[in-house]
Amino acid sequence: MYIYSAFLLGCSFPSAYAQSKADADKSATKESKDSTSVVKNNEPTEATPYHIDTAYDPDEALFSEGANKYLEQYGIQFGLNWISETTGVVRGGKKKGADYAHEVEFTLDIDWEKIIGWKGFSTHLIAMNLAGRNTSADYVGDPYMNTQEIYGSSNGRFLRLYNLYAEQALWNNKINIKIGRYDVGSDFAVSPFACEYVTAATCSQMTSMGAQQGYSAWPNNVWAGRILYNITDQFTFQVGAYESSPFGDTGQGGPAGVSWGTKHATGAFIPVEFGYNPKFGKNQLDGYYRIGGGYDTSKFDTWSSQVTESGKQDSATQYWIMFGQMIHRNDPMETHGLYILGNWGHQSPSTSSFKDYYNIGFLDRGFWHARPYDQIGFMMTYYTIPRSLRGAQKYQMSQGDMFMENGSYSLLNNAISAQSNAMVFELNYGIAAYKGIKIMPVFEYFHKVGAYKNLYNDAVVFGVHTNVVF
């Protein structure tokens, strides 16, 4: 999970998310040849003859701006923000009820070129406090698609190290090398708008991506290395190598993120990705396009072998296509416009909890001139469960010996019945309450909860997301 107030030090880019946003911001400042120039300031232009009050920019820090301006000369930048999400089921699902979860995140970025003259070298750290409960598991009945995107595998930790890594920029920023403890989701299959939604359907990446252990995702970390090549201002290519280890207490950093041993590693995850960041037309309509894939050298028991004990194993692969394209510019401010967003992900059906995964939606920023920092977003998610997993679950049910104490099935994938497919809808409105403060009411609708056909009624969920950048 990434904050819009993350700092880009020197030549470095802390993550693929920050890279994408940096590219968008950089290209958004290029002026076109007519009056629709894209600008970063809030001054009136011929295209927008009104003043934009930046005092209500929710991405600006409340208190730390002055300190960071002073520390910048010494190559030090820090950030602190608090995110909370309260969501509750008002109809359908398992039962009515609500849960609260929060994340307090501290970031520290150091530009060593300013400190000791090491050109292009920087280091980055993110640590966090996580607390709360999971509405999806407690009340919706869907432990796979969280209503709260900040609820992760380490909620209830007073302090967790998310990542600690170094970056080296070379050849006038053509090459960026990143190495240390972090996750695949920091670099690959991530969009600059991934966390503008409250469900975990897109934040920090498609939920299906982290269903296989090779694609480590927030808030986990593994030993990792990545090389990014900026082919041109618009085209990028990156390749990486990431430790593949099991979830939970034994791998991916453990509960506190500081278990860095490799004795539980089973292989390496090797992803590649091409990126395209265009600007279209006289209105400088920016966008991003990503296509990539990853291969895990580990071997995993197939779903069928887990119930038949055949011993058959298979590798794990993933593919993804992502895009976000502005189709209308609302004003000259950076990313203020109407975007169409879409994602597709495919996982190995013999070993993954998901087969195909789709997102389609929109995000509109700056549409209301009186409140230029407000935004509205909609996202529809559809996903399918592999036939091999569903077949294995039905086989377990036919044996009649897979019951829990409450009388429901305990099946593969932690399911309580055979699974097929499901849909999730989200509509939210982001209110720029004040500088550094955003409040986002959200409506969520779960169809075929948990990918079960007739187990639960569709769930109606309401909630609120708050983000305070200190």
Side-chain angles (χ1 to χ4, degrees):
M1 200 166 308
Y2 302 92
I3 316 167
Y4 270 133
S5 60
F7 302 96
L8 306 183
L9 297 180
C11 305
S12 62
F13 299 91
S15 64
Y17 174 86
Q19 172 74 60
S20 299
K21 185 176 187 298
D23 289 343
D25 290 351
K26 177 181 177 182
S27 56
T29 61
K30 296 179 179 178
E31 295 187 355
S32 63
K33 295 182 179 180
D34 64 6
S35 62
T36 57
S37 301
V38 181
V39 296
K40 282 190 173 183
N41 60 45
N42 63 330
E43 296 304 316
T45 67
E46 182 179 343
T48 305
Y50 54 86
H51 180 85
I52 296 177
D53 187 1
T54 57
Y56 283 84
D57 186 348
D59 297 330
E60 295 293 329
L62 268 173
F63 309 115
S64 60
E65 182 177 356
N68 274 311
K69 283 184 178 179
Y70 173 77
L71 291 171
E72 185 177 8
Q73 63 184 315
Y74 301 106
I76 299 173
Q77 297 280 267
F78 71 92
L80 180 67
N81 85 313
W82 168 68
I83 302 173
S84 72
E85 290 171 350
T86 301
T87 56
V89 176
V90 299
R91 191 181 71 187
K94 187 193 298 185
K95 58 183 177 180
K96 293 181 179 179
D99 279 334
Y100 164 90
H102 80 234
E103 169 195 329
V104 180
E105 183 171 281
F106 172 78
T107 65
L108 178 64
D109 302 306
I110 300 177
D111 183 350
W112 292 95
E113 183 174 353
K114 292 184 177 180
I115 297 175
I116 61 174
W118 188 339
K119 186 175 182 179
F121 184 71
S122 60
T123 56
H124 310 272
L125 176 148
I126 299 180
M128 59 184 65
N129 165 261
L130 298 165
R133 291 189 60 86
N134 185 351
T135 301
S136 286
D138 290 344
Y139 300 108
V140 177
D142 187 341
Y144 318 105
M145 192 68 65
N146 289 343
T147 66
Q148 306 141 292
E149 46 85 11
I150 61 171
Y151 189 90
S153 61
S154 296
N155 276 72
R157 298 297 306 184
F158 174 74
L159 187 65
R160 176 180 176 85
L161 179 68
Y162 172 34
N163 59 41
L164 176 62
Y165 60 90
E167 285 187 283
Q168 177 66 60
L170 301 170
W171 297 355
N172 195 28
N173 292 336
K174 279 287 188 180
I175 300 291
N176 181 272
I177 301 172
K178 179 177 176 181
I179 188 167
R181 294 289 304 189
Y182 56 96
D183 62 314
V184 180
S186 294
D187 297 321
F188 293 86
V190 61
S191 89
F193 302 126
C195 294
E196 295 302 315
Y197 299 88
V198 181
T199 64
T202 65
C203 186
S204 295
Q205 56 279 314
M206 292 176 278
T207 299
S208 63
M209 302 302 296
Q212 293 185 300
Q213 72 172 43
Y215 187 100
S216 50
W218 176 95
N220 300 313
N221 64 66
V222 296
W223 288 112
R226 182 229 60 189
I227 299 176
L228 170 68
Y229 176 39
N230 293 298
I231 304 171
T232 68
D233 289 342
Q234 294 186 336
F235 290 93
T236 63
F237 171 77
Q238 59 178 343
V239 60
Y242 299 77
E243 171 196 345
S244 178
S245 59
F247 303 109
D249 295 342
T250 58
Q252 302 202 18
V258 294
S259 298
W260 293 358
T262 59
K263 66 178 181 179
H264 298 292
T266 59
F269 182 73
I270 313 296
V272 296
E273 183 180 81
F274 289 92
Y276 174 48
N277 305 290
K279 302 286 289 185
F280 292 120
K282 65 180 182 179
N283 290 324
Q284 301 284 282
L285 302 179
D286 62 285
Y288 65 88
Y289 297 81
R290 308 280 185 265
I291 181 169
Y295 174 76
D296 194 335
T297 63
S298 309
K299 294 296 182 180
F300 302 95
D301 293 336
T302 65
W303 292 120
S304 60
S305 71
Q306 292 183 53
V307 293
T308 63
E309 298 182 353
S310 67
K312 183 179 179 181
Q313 293 187 318
D314 202 353
S315 58
T317 55
Q318 295 183 314
Y319 306 97
W320 58 88
I321 298 175
M322 310 171 64
F323 76 90
Q325 180 61 55
M326 183 188 288
I327 60 173
H328 174 75
R329 180 170 292 284
N330 291 316
D331 63 48
M333 293 288 288
E334 300 180 284
T335 57
H336 283 200
L338 173 61
Y339 289 84
I340 300 299
L341 310 174
N343 304 312
W344 168 76
H346 176 81
Q347 286 71 41
S348 296
S350 62
T351 58
S352 175
S353 299
F354 297 86
K355 181 175 181 281
D356 290 298
Y357 191 96
Y358 307 87
N359 299 127
I360 188 72
F362 71 83
L363 182 68
D364 198 3
R365 306 171 125 188
F367 61 91
W368 187 359
H369 292 169
R371 298 190 55 82
Y373 292 104
D374 283 8
Q375 63 184 51
I376 186 170
F378 171 80
M379 184 66 70
M380 182 198 75
T381 300
Y382 173 78
Y383 65 88
T384 62
I385 302 297
R387 291 183 180 180
S388 57
L389 171 56
R390 183 164 64 251
Q393 291 170 337
K394 289 182 176 180
Y395 177 83
Q396 288 180 293
M397 295 171 66
S398 70
Q399 301 307 297
D401 59 353
M402 298 295 293
F403 287 90
M404 296 188 292
E405 292 182 0
N406 63 4
S408 60
Y409 286 106
S410 175
L411 307 174
L412 290 176
N413 206 34
N414 296 316
I416 55 178
S417 184
Q419 299 173 287
S420 57
N421 54 66
M423 298 180 72
V424 180
F425 301 86
E426 175 180 340
L427 178 66
N428 65 56
Y429 187 90
I431 302 169
Y434 191 67
K435 179 181 179 180
I437 301 175
K438 181 167 70 175
I439 301 172
M440 182 183 288
V442 61
F443 166 80
E444 302 170 6
Y445 188 87
F446 287 70
H447 175 60
K448 298 179 69 174
V449 173
Y452 304 124
K453 189 173 183 180
N454 296 308
L455 188 60
Y456 300 120
N457 291 327
D458 289 358
V460 177
V461 178
F462 286 95
V464 62
H465 161 105
T466 61
N467 186 12
V468 180
V469 182
F470 295 101

